Amino acid sequence: MLADQRHAQILDIVNGEGSATVTGLAARLGISESTVRRDLEKLDDSGCLSKVHGGAVSLDREGVTRDVPVAERAARHSAEKRAIAQHAARLVGPQDFVYLDAGSTVDALIDALSEKRAVYATDCVSHALKLASRGFEVIVLGGSLKSATEALVGPDANAAINRYHFTLGFWGTNGATPEGGFTTPDFAEAEVKRLSMAQTIHRFVLADASKLGRTSLVTFGDFRSATIVTTALPEGSAFADLENVEVV
């Protein structure tokens, strides 16, 4: 079997079932496990799927059950994230106390920010460093570092958030549906998101179209608790008639 044929069959299996193991693929395709591993590496490098320990997951499912490292997420849907970020940046005024959640779309927002009279607070180490390097006033919320998202989580982060009252806030999400609300894979990070939203007057969830209609493991906010800023709506979805969705 030619490599291109193997790759096509592997993608059909992974995308059709959401995930597959090396052992399972080898048995179904009649090839060695070492060949499967090499094929998965090539498919991962080309951005067709995500290679994980012992197998691979579909990019449609990735991010639903686990957090993808920020460096990987930043390259995906980059044009959409920039459009969302530019719109969101215009919402910040000189008197605002702004909460910035961890995540690649909020990272794009930081690149688009120009209002330096506002005060910014974040639970994300890389966001704080970028804000400081650009001359913004930034408050870093303490906690335990979660490497995949570079977020600070846990009791210290929760206690720090409860001391503040934000006028404006921006969050990322792994999924958003009218029924399940805003969702993320990690319980500790969901709590930080939930608490920070409760401490914020004007709330915006920044979500490219790939996040809409998906549900991850833990809900951190009711669907109507924030305005969703996105670039497109799924075809035939229930999102079109909702007042709290802004398409930019």
Side-chain angles (χ1 to χ4, degrees), residues 30-184:
I31 58 179
S32 68
E33 292 188 8
S34 60
T35 298
V36 171
R37 291 189 184 93
R38 287 195 297 271
D39 287 344
L40 292 181
E41 288 177 1
K42 290 180 181 179
L43 290 167
D44 182 275
D45 289 342
S46 62
C48 296
L49 51 69
S50 179
K51 185 176 180 293
V52 298
H53 180 70
V57 296
S58 167
L59 294 181
D60 287 338
R61 180 166 296 186
E62 187 182 39
V64 172
T65 58
R66 71 181 185 96
D67 271 315
V68 181
V70 172
E72 293 181 34
R73 282 185 284 138
R76 299 177 186 172
H77 310 288
S78 57
E80 292 92 334
K81 290 174 182 177
R82 285 194 298 271
I84 291 168
Q86 289 165 5
H87 175 83
R90 292 193 289 269
L91 301 174
V92 180
Q95 304 302 319
D96 277 317
F97 184 20
V98 185
Y99 180 81
L100 297 173
D101 182 37
S104 57
T105 310
V106 178
D107 183 68
L109 167 59
I110 293 171
D111 291 332
L113 287 173
S114 60
E115 184 53 78
K116 293 192 174 181
R117 290 168 293 180
V119 178
Y120 300 86
T122 184
D123 69 322
C124 179
V125 174
S126 58
H127 289 359
L129 291 172
K130 181 180 284 190
L131 286 162
S133 71
R134 294 192 58 211
F136 292 97
E137 182 178 350
V138 56
I139 295 170
V140 184
L141 305 171
S144 299
L145 179 62
K146 182 185 171 191
S147 60
T149 59
E150 301 173 352
L152 296 164
V153 299
D156 289 339
N158 298 343
I161 289 168
N162 281 328
R163 290 198 296 268
Y164 295 109
H165 301 275
F166 309 105
T167 62
L168 181 65
F170 300 95
W171 289 264
T173 188
N174 292 70
T177 67
E179 302 80 16
F182 305 118
T183 52
T184 189

Side-chain angles (χ1 to χ4, degrees), residues 10-21 25 28 57-58 61:
I10 289 171
L11 283 174
D12 283 343
I13 293 170
V14 172
N15 289 332
E17 301 177 9
S19 64
T21 65
L25 288 169
R28 292 168 72 171
V57 296
S58 167
R61 180 166 296 186

